[in-house]
Amino acid sequence: MMRTARKSWKTYTLGAAAIAALLSSAACDSDGGAARGKGPTASGAPAPTGAASASASPSGSPSSSGTTVRPGGDGGTADPSQSTGGGNGAVPACNDNDLSIDTSGWRQDSGRHLLITATNFTDKACTLYHHPYVRFGTDVGDPVAPTDSKPRAIATIGPKEKAYAGVFVFRAGQQTRTVTSFSLGYQDRAPGSNREAAPLDIRLSEEVATLTVGPDPRVTYWNTDLRAVEDFLFRSGNS
């Protein structure tokens, strides 16, 4: 049987002095509550994923994938004397022996964009200069051209830190072809360097599996800020 809790209320008569004291106390609390920590709490900016949610992406966050481990700001031109992620301009360029590469996409994106994540698995910092050299499938010609997404600082990553690059794979209405892999190369400090160096062949992660590539893909510059890459990829007019 359900029992209903009953509350009895009692009425008290307060003297004029007691009422005045209560009013005085309430006024003090109204003026000083925030100073004592009763105001709204400040919220920090969300961390990028790998760890991050992507407010600019169609689905909120990239779908996870796993080749080995997990994944450029818009505006401003990178200054080689500046860097992010705990290094300086003297930090050596990253190469195949420094990095683990993973690929992922975004839910509800229909495979139009690819996220490349480079993780430094060594015990020393290295720098990912400019943009990656990307070729899809068996392409042997020029690598994918870069977008105008140059970051404000070059992407220097310490041990276990990550850098990201995004690719516009195709746009609606374009003729496409299907690939299951791509090649990846890295640049030195001088723009356009190492173009002829042997690229590393990367098989797409199981989750991505295949890519539908259009005739004019584009790649962003490396950036340590995932959100900056996502903001650029999904900005109106770029997708």
Side-chain angles (χ1 to χ4, degrees):
M1 180 173 62
M2 182 179 295
R3 303 182 65 180
T4 303
R6 302 179 61 187
K7 296 182 179 179
S8 61
W9 298 86
K10 294 184 180 181
T11 302
Y12 293 90
T13 301
L14 296 176
I19 292 174
L22 285 172
L23 290 175
S24 174
S25 173
C28 290
D29 187 65
S30 174
D31 291 338
R36 292 192 296 274
K38 296 184 179 180
T41 57
S43 60
T49 81
S53 85
S55 58
S57 67
S59 65
S61 64
S63 56
S64 61
S65 62
T67 308
T68 317
V69 266
R70 313 176 330 188
D74 49 1
T77 300
D79 179 350
S81 67
Q82 295 178 328
S83 62
T84 58
N88 55 47
V91 174
C94 298
N95 59 51
D96 296 346
N97 297 323
D98 301 317
L99 303 172
S100 177
I101 299 297
D102 192 17
T103 57
S104 57
W106 286 264
R107 296 179 183 90
Q108 302 176 358
D109 180 48
S110 303
R112 291 184 299 166
H113 302 87
L114 177 72
L115 183 64
I116 300 171
T117 302
T119 304
N120 181 352
F121 62 76
T122 71
D123 58 0
K124 296 180 180 179
C126 66
T127 294
L128 284 160
Y129 286 103
H130 315 298
H131 58 85
Y133 291 142
V134 175
R135 293 179 177 88
F136 288 108
T138 57
D139 290 350
V140 294
D142 291 337
V144 171
T147 65
D148 61 351
S149 62
K150 291 185 179 180
R152 289 187 170 87
I154 59 176
T156 297
I157 51 176
K160 298 183 180 179
E161 292 182 342
K162 302 176 187 297
Y164 311 93
V167 185
F168 297 105
V169 183
F170 76 93
R171 290 172 174 78
Q174 291 182 326
Q175 290 189 335
T176 60
R177 60 194 171 98
T178 300
V179 301
T180 58
S181 65
F182 67 101
S183 64
L184 190 66
Y186 309 101
Q187 300 189 52
D188 285 332
R189 186 182 179 90
S193 56
N194 287 349
R195 194 180 181 104
E196 304 305 322
L200 178 68
D201 289 328
I202 307 289
R203 187 155 193 89
L204 295 167
S205 65
E206 290 184 4
E207 183 167 329
V208 176
T210 62
L211 283 178
T212 302
V213 181
D216 191 30
R218 290 286 187 270
V219 63
T220 71
Y221 283 68
W222 289 111
N223 203 301
T224 55
D225 183 358
L226 173 59
R227 285 221 173 167
V229 174
E230 290 174 324
D231 286 347
F232 184 84
L233 287 177
F234 298 104
R235 186 189 304 154
S236 176
N238 283 332
S239 56

